[in-house]
C-alpha cells in the first residue's frame, strides 16, 4: 500500500491562496484530492491521471483550484480565491481501481489530511 503525506494547509482570509502538496511513497498514476468539513460527507475536489495530465474538478472549485504534479510521486493542489465554504480537512488519495476518478469509494490509499481554514 502506498503511503501518502499531505502538507501545506493553514488559515487564510477569504480571497487568499494556498498550495497543498501530497507526497507518495511510491509511483502511482491516479491521484485525487478530497475534502471533508465537520458534519459533512467527504467530497471530491480534483483528480488527475498523471500519465495523461487530464484534470477533473468538482463544480464548486472549477476555475479556482488547479491540480498538478511534478512526478508520479508528488501532486499539488493550488487553491485560489478561497471562500469560507472551502474550510475542511483536505485528503489526498491514490491506488484507484477504475471508474470515475472523483469517486471516493474507488480509492485504496489515503493520507492523514491537512486542515484548511478560510475566514471571512
Amino acid at each position: 500500500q502506498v503511503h501518502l503525506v499531505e502538507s501545506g494547509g493553514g488559515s487564510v482570509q477569504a480571497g487568499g491562496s494556498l498550495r497543498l502538496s501530497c507526497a507518495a511513497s511510491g509511483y502511482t498514476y491516479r491521484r485525487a484530492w478530497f475534502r471533508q468539513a465537520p458534519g459533512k460527507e467527504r467530497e471530491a475536489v480534483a483528480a488527475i491521471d498523471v500519465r495523461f495530465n487530464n484534470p477533473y474538478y468538482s463544480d464548486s472549485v472549477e476555475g479556482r483550484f488547479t491540480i498538478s504534479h511534478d512526478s508520479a510521486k508528488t501532486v499539488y493542489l493550488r487553491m485560489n480565491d478561497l471562500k469560507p465554504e472551502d474550510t475542511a480537512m483536505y485528503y489526498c488519495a491514490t491506488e484507484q481501481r477504475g471508474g470515475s476518478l472523483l469517486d471516493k469509494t474507488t480509492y485504496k490509499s489515503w493520507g492523514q489530511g491537512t486542515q484548511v481554514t478560510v475566514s471571512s
Side-chain angles (χ1 to χ4, degrees):
Q1 187 166 341
V2 175
H3 182 61
L4 300 172
V5 178
E6 303 98 334
S7 61
S11 297
V12 297
Q13 291 191 327
S17 298
L18 285 172
R19 190 180 78 156
L20 307 183
S21 299
C22 175
S25 60
Y27 288 101
T28 62
Y29 302 112
R30 294 176 178 151
R31 309 288 293 276
W33 287 96
F34 292 81
R35 67 186 181 187
Q36 188 167 18
K40 294 187 176 182
E41 289 193 8
R42 191 168 297 189
E43 63 175 1
V45 176
I48 191 169
D49 187 320
V50 301
R51 295 170 297 179
F52 309 121
N53 205 29
N54 56 341
Y56 297 89
Y57 300 97
S58 67
D59 291 343
S60 61
V61 307
E62 179 86 50
R64 299 187 297 122
F65 290 12
T66 303
I67 188 171
S68 63
H69 63 94
D70 62 7
S71 67
K73 284 191 172 184
T74 304
V75 172
Y76 305 95
L77 185 68
R78 176 70 180 182
M79 306 184 295
N80 295 329
D81 189 24
L82 282 161
K83 306 176 186 296
E85 52 264 41
D86 294 319
T87 295
M89 185 72 78
Y90 283 71
Y91 300 90
C92 64
T94 192
E95 295 193 280
Q96 194 252 8
R97 66 170 182 262
S100 170
L101 289 177
L102 295 178
D103 182 351
K104 62 180 180 291
T105 67
T106 63
Y107 286 89
K108 176 182 177 181
S109 297
W110 293 83
Q112 294 298 307
T114 185
Q115 178 67 38
V116 172
T117 303
V118 184
S119 59
S120 57

